[in-house]
Amino acid sequence: MDDEIDLVALKVFRSVVRAGSFSAAARLLQVPKSTVSKRVRDLETALDVRLVERTTRRMRVTPEGDLLAHRADRLLHEAETIRRDIGLSNREPVGHLRIAAPSFYGIYVLGRVAALCRERHPDLTLEFVFLDRLPDLLEEGFDGAITYGPLADSDLVVRTLTRGQTVPVAAPSVVSGGQPATPDKLSELPAITLGPRRNHWVFERGSTTRGVDVIGVMTFGSPLSCRDAALAGGGVAMLPEFLTRDDIAAGRLLRLLPEWNAAKREILFVYPSPQSVTARLRAFLDILIETTAAYHRQNKRD
């Protein structure tokens, strides 16, 4: 239809405004000047407005043209995003991904993810870097990262992989004088914390919620190190339930406050922006979500 905006014409008009003349825009776009003039005329006809006043020697953008020029970037960017998103579903993922992940997640989950990626997308290569911190994705060259929640204020795009149950545990020697009867009693015991800001533990029982500030005598960046310290009698630790199951069954660790539920902890996947989602990142994320869900279903059955 004649009154529809031609995106190609809009792109040409934007080039005219940026370049300052029809001739300069033609050189920039590597097309004849007559083509540039026709595209702008077509756009003016579709909008029924004059966008550029021009003579043989100079041109001037009209107020209406200036308004359109300011909005053209957003319109063209959105059109390109739609085109790319539609195209993603029809492209086979190829290339290389660099992903950061906590060490415990790499040990328990990422081997399966890598194998499935290789099976389904043989032209996709993966590099996993185990970091028990959230890196600067752009500065350190990562396509994405697996991390713990909650996440501090950030411009990153966040996907929740799972919400895992955590449990307070300790070696029998730590509670030889008697196990704590209520959450507040944990403040009387030495605590092993995961990260410097994990000293506030929250518990629920029915409609009752209790928070307790524990005394962190040692802090680690990895749940695996926290578990090792707890097994050695270093103090009370709040750990993912699946990491402690075998040790509790064997009597090496005791589950404290069994009538209370500790808050679930999120495991997240983050990446820089919606525009950074390539076909390979989308394929990897789909498999990561699938494998994480299967792993936690299996652990619940076991």
Side-chain angles (χ1 to χ4, degrees):
M1 295 177 60
D2 290 341
D3 59 351
E4 291 180 344
I5 295 180
D6 182 343
L7 292 179
V8 175
L10 182 60
K11 187 175 181 179
V12 169
F13 169 70
R14 183 181 65 175
S15 296
V16 169
V17 174
R18 287 180 173 180
S21 72
F22 283 66
S23 298
R27 289 193 298 271
L28 180 67
L29 297 171
Q30 297 183 334
V31 298
K33 179 181 176 182
S34 58
T35 300
V36 173
S37 297
K38 182 179 184 306
R39 290 290 190 185
V40 174
R41 283 198 305 273
D42 290 345
L43 190 59
E44 289 176 327
T45 300
L47 296 173
D48 194 24
V49 69
R50 192 75 165 174
L51 300 174
V52 180
E53 299 287 357
R54 49 200 180 273
T55 67
T56 55
R57 294 188 176 183
R58 61 189 297 270
M59 66 164 244
R60 180 181 64 84
V61 180
T62 66
E64 292 79 8
D66 190 59
L67 176 63
L68 180 61
H70 276 87
R71 295 188 178 181
D73 283 336
R74 185 174 62 189
L75 291 170
L76 291 170
H77 174 75
E78 182 64 18
E80 174 59 24
T81 299
I82 293 171
R83 185 202 65 76
R84 186 187 64 247
D85 287 347
I86 292 173
L88 280 175
S89 62
N90 297 320
R91 288 209 308 269
E92 177 63 21
V94 297
H96 185 73
L97 282 177
R98 189 167 187 255
I99 305 295
S103 54
F104 93 94
Y105 212 79
I107 292 170
Y108 287 95
V109 178
L110 290 184
R112 308 178 194 196
V113 173
L116 274 178
C117 283
R118 177 65 183 168
E119 177 184 330
R120 297 180 188 178
H121 309 294
D123 294 322
L124 177 62
T125 60
L126 298 169
E127 176 188 355
F128 295 112
V129 179
F130 292 165
L131 296 173
D132 292 311
R133 62 176 175 84
L134 179 59
D136 184 318
L137 299 184
L138 297 179
E139 183 70 23
E140 299 182 51
F142 288 102
D143 296 285
I146 300 164
T147 189
Y148 310 115
L151 199 63
D153 291 342
S154 171
D155 293 330
L156 298 173
V157 180
V158 178
R159 291 287 301 273
T160 300
L161 297 177
T162 187
R163 292 178 175 88
Q165 184 64 58
T166 58
V167 293
V169 296
S173 61
V174 174
V175 290
S176 58
Q179 292 197 30
T182 57
D184 58 284
K185 292 296 183 180
L186 292 176
S187 64
E188 300 174 6
L189 298 171
I192 302 163
T193 59
L194 180 63
R197 293 179 297 277
R198 306 292 182 182
N199 290 6
H200 186 74
W201 296 352
V202 178
F203 295 85
E204 297 176 347
R205 186 175 64 181
S207 60
T208 302
T209 300
R210 295 275 182 86
V212 57
D213 292 320
V214 297
I215 302 172
V217 296
M218 57 187 79
T219 298
F220 296 96
S222 167
L224 297 176
S225 298
C226 289
R227 183 184 64 179
D228 288 345
L231 286 167
V236 180
M238 183 72 75
L239 295 173
E241 189 273 336
F242 74 91
L243 281 182
T244 65
R245 189 175 301 150
D246 291 343
D247 294 316
I248 291 173
R252 293 184 294 268
L253 290 175
L254 298 176
R255 163 75 187 272
L256 307 181
L257 302 170
E259 296 180 355
W260 292 82
N261 291 319
K264 292 186 176 182
R265 190 169 191 195
E266 291 182 323
I267 298 177
L268 313 172
F269 184 80
V270 299
Y271 51 94
S273 70
Q275 290 73 35
S276 64
V277 181
T278 59
R280 56 184 175 271
L281 184 60
R282 179 169 294 181
F284 168 78
L285 184 53
D286 287 344
I287 292 174
L288 178 63
I289 292 171
E290 172 191 334
T291 306
T292 298
Y295 179 79
H296 283 277
R297 283 196 302 269
Q298 180 65 40
N299 271 286
K300 286 180 181 178
R301 287 198 298 268
D302 294 343

